[in-house]
């Protein structure tokens, strides 16, 4: 008797198979589920006289099937075992495909990975039109590829180009988009989904087992049917993938080869190629790191913030300052939380610019068809520009994003308190000032917290939630919960100089300045880091942030960390020469509009430097810039600036684009081995001086067996 799958055969020759994995919120294919599926397929085949059509349903309200069990992917270290895992799924799904009656996959809610692959092996697919219905093959995001027949079946069903688009990006599509692609055969209104699926299946009782339709549409078919056309499609996919991954992610490149084999050599060759690719990819450190990062993000969704205080509801919000950050934050609140926002600034022109900034973000969303123009008008109407505190009597949360000056912020918070309800939470988006100092003159200072967004607001997924000493946990958790409502990931950090991400970044950027000072070229330093996997090099990033801002933060942190943050004497010279970075089109690089061109040779002259080192070892340069961050990470954890190595890794990935394939800074360092890192820092210290000195925190972490061994507990 099966406990995971339930087969029911009706008098009308319609049968249903319900997948309901006990004790889990979502169905996944773990070993037990795969074993039972095999039995139940045999049992169904044996009842062929009674069954004219079989519907595959999920017993879970939240979704169809979420894919393979991650534990299994994480655990496997033997290529033979990984290959066997792929072949088991292939064999089962082939048995499903070969059932002597048609099958219908009834897709409602999430349908991912192995779930989609089983649907592809079904004769027909029907999807709900509910917003929660998402269909996709996200395997490449975990460093592997669809290895249970999906890489082989999908291109046959929807055409090569469309299949590659789904497999190589790992993105998900709605039921409606799936229907448009031909990935599902019917799109059914959600309220009557189950009835309509039955009707759909009843029409197909005892029908032929030939489902689907001609792949790819007319144009696609013409292009993809001839070898030359196919070559164009595959070459283009390879080119785009190399551009996007810089060759650092092997899975999508391998997936292109597997799809090509499947298309040109037939299903048997395709399955073979899938299994061999899974054997190579699943055991690689990159797959393990990507699964680790996936887990970090999943665990982060369950975080609630500081202990001891429930979040309060937020119904109305005010944003102070309509500049770069304030305008972006206001737009985000309207877009994601759908709440009214008072946007206050000190001058009319700034307000107009703030609204224009929000409107420009909306224009981009309209262009990408993410929102309809009529909806934009409604969203924009949620933004209420104001020069005074009118309407502040009703707000539950204020987010301040005005100039980065302590005295100004202190005065504004003190004044603000007189205009908002007593229970309102007051948050500052400061990037370098102490929240404890900002709140000094505010009545009820315990309700002041930090809410540190990253630039550009709409793109960066991280928000540091800063809880200063004595903060009301309920205020902290209100900001924590609201951050999540905005679709961002909150990480709780302490009110320490630079908080977490900027502090780590500063050590990395300062090292880039020192390397520049030693005679390295701007482009080599940035290339060392992009080749290492960062989305942007440290000097180009300095231009993005603003050289004046970076210099100011370096000075503020310099006061806090003394010799460790010593900078070359020339740091202020660039802003003094009117070089502020991207914002005024003059920085370390040259700009056309906002577009970065070549490094500006004038910069060397201003700084009195001669770039004399050619063809440096980029790996060694990258290591020199990353190790100071590792050293500092140990201090941040020991000082409880951040609660765990996992939180630190997540924050750096989401706040800076730290390469996910490396699994995070702490995980990368653990994999290198901390004793080796300590030894490298000691060697650097002997030539480069005190700033490389391994911190006692790093030594203790090395002794304790690594970051994850020492700092895995958030309590
Ligand atoms: P910005 O200069 O673009 O905008 C500041 C706005 O505040 C201006 O429109 C100004 O008129 C307005 N303002 C000044 N005093 C005000 C007052 N008393 N009441 C209301 N409005 C007032 O500055 P930006 O870059 O948006 O930064 C704002 C805050 O966000 C700063 O604390 C900064 O440290 C922080 N931040 C900035 C990031 C960045 O990359 N630009 C990243 C993360 C945080």
């Amino acid at each position: 008797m099966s406990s995971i799958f339930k087969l029911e055969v009706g008098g009308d020759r319609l049968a249903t198979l319900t997948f309901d994995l006990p004790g889990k919120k979502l169905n996944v294919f773990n070993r037990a589920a795969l074993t039972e599926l095999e039995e139940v397929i045999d049992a169904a085949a044996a009842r062929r006289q009674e069954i004219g059509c079989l519907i595959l349903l999920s017993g879970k309200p939240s979704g169809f099937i979420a894919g393979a069990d991650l534990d299994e992917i994480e655990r496997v270290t033997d290529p033979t075992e990984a290959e066997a895992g792929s072949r088991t799924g292939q064999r089962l799904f082939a048995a499903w495909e070969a059932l002597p009656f048609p099958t219908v996959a009834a897709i409602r809610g999430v349908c991912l990975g192995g779930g989609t692959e089983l649907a592809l092996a079904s004769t027909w697919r029907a999807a709900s039109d509910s917003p929660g219905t998402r269909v996709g093959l996200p395997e490449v995001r975990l460093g592997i590829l669809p290895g249970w027949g999906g890489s082989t079946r999908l291109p046959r069903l929807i055409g090569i180009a469309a299949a590659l688009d789904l497999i190589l990006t790992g993105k998900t599509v709605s039921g409606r988009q799936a229907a448009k692609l031909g990935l599902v055969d019917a799109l059914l209104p959600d309220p009557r989904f189950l009835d309509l699926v039955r009707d759909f299946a009843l029409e197909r009782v005892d029908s032929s087992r030939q489902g689907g339709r001609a792949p790819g549409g007319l144009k696609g078919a013409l292009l993809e049917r001839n070898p030359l056309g196919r070559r164009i499609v595959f070459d283009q996919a390879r080119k785009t993938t190399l551009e996007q991954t810089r060759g650092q992610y092997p899975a999508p490149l391998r997936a292109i080869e597997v799809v090509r084999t499947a298309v040109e050599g037939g299903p048997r060759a395709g399955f073979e190629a899938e299994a061999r690719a899974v054997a190579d990819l699943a055991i690689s450190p990159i797959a393990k790191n990507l699964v680790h990062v996936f887990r970090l993000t999943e665990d982060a969704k369950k975080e609630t913030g500081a202990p001891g205080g429930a979040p309060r509801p937020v119904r109305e919000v005010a944003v102070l300052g309509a500049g770069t950050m304030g305008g972006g934050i206001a737009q985000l609140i309207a877009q994601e939380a759908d709440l009214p926002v008072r946007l206050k600034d000190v001058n009319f022109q700034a307000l107009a610019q703030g609204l224009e900034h929000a409107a420009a973000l909306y224009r981009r969303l309209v262009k990408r068809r993410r929102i309809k123009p009529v909806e934009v008008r409604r969203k924009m109407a949620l933004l209420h520009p104001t020069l005074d505190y009118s309407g502040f009597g009703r707000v539950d949360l204020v987010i301040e994003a005005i100039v980065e000056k302590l005295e100004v912020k202190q005065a504004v918070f003190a004044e603000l308190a007189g205009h908002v309800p007593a229970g309102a939470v007051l948050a500052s988006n400061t990037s370098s000032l102490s929240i404890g100092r900002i709140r000094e003159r505010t009545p009820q200072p315990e309700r002041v917290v930090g809410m540190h967004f990253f630039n550009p607001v709409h793109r960066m997924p991280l928000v540091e939630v800063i809880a200063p000493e004595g903060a009301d946990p309920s205020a902290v958790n209100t900001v924590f919960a609201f951050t999540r409502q905005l679709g961002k990931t909150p990480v709780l950090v302490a009110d320490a100089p630079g908080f977490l991400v900027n502090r780590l970044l500063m050590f990395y950027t300062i090292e880039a300045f020192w390397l520049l000072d030693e005679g390295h070229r701007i482009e080599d330093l940035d290339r060392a880091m992009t080749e290492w996997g960062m989305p942007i090099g440290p000097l180009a990033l300095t231009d993005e942030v603003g050289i004046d801002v970076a210099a100011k933060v370096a000075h503020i942190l310099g006061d806090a960390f003394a010799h460790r943050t010593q900078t070359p004497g020339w740091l202020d010279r660039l802003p003094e020469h009117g070089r502020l970075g991207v914002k005024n089109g003059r920085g370390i690089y040259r700009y056309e509009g906002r577009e970065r061109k070549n490094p500006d040779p004038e910069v060397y002259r201003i700084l009195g430097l001669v770039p004399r080192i050619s063809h440096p070892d980029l790996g060694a340069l990258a290591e020199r810039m990353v190790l100071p961050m590792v050293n500092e990470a140990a201090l941040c954890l020991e000082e409880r600036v951040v609660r765990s190595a996992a939180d630190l890794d997540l924050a750096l990935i989401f706040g800076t684009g730290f390469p996910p394939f490396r699994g995070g800074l702490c995980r990368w360092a653990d994999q290198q081995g901390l004793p080796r890192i300590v030894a490298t820092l000691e060697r650097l210290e002997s030539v480069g001086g005190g700033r490389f000195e391994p911190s006692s925190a790093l030594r203790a972490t090395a002794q304790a067996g690594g970051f994850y061994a020492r700092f895995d507990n958030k309590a």
Side-chain angles (χ1 to χ4, degrees), residues 319 342-346 351 384-392:
V319 174
R342 313 238 140 225
L343 181 59
K344 180 180 181 302
D345 209 296
V346 284
L351 280 179
H384 302 283
T386 172
L387 291 169
D388 58 29
Y389 286 104
S390 56
F392 275 56

Side-chain angles (χ1 to χ4, degrees), residues 156-169:
R156 293 183 179 269
L157 185 66
I158 67 171
I160 301 168
L164 286 176
D165 184 38
L166 285 181
I167 293 172
L168 300 183
T169 58

Side-chain angles (χ1 to χ4, degrees), residues 320-326 344-347 350-351 389 400-405 408-409 412 428-433 452-455 502 544-545 549:
L320 294 186
T324 311
M325 298 301 287
K344 180 180 181 302
D345 209 296
V346 284
N347 70 66
L351 280 179
Y389 286 104
E400 168 274 317
I402 65 170
V403 280
E404 188 76 338
K405 289 202 178 122
V408 181
K409 291 206 199 257
V412 164
S428 172
N429 179 45
T430 179
S431 46
S432 60
L433 300 171
H452 182 214
F453 288 85
F454 289 74
N455 189 9
N502 283 350
E544 293 283 333
V545 169
V549 175

Side-chain angles (χ1 to χ4, degrees), residues 682-707:
E682 281 169 344
R683 186 168 44 76
L684 289 168
E685 185 191 1
S686 66
V687 282
R691 70 179 186 282
F692 292 109
E693 185 188 352
S695 60
S696 57
L698 185 66
R699 289 183 191 280
T701 310
Q703 284 261 312
F707 281 103

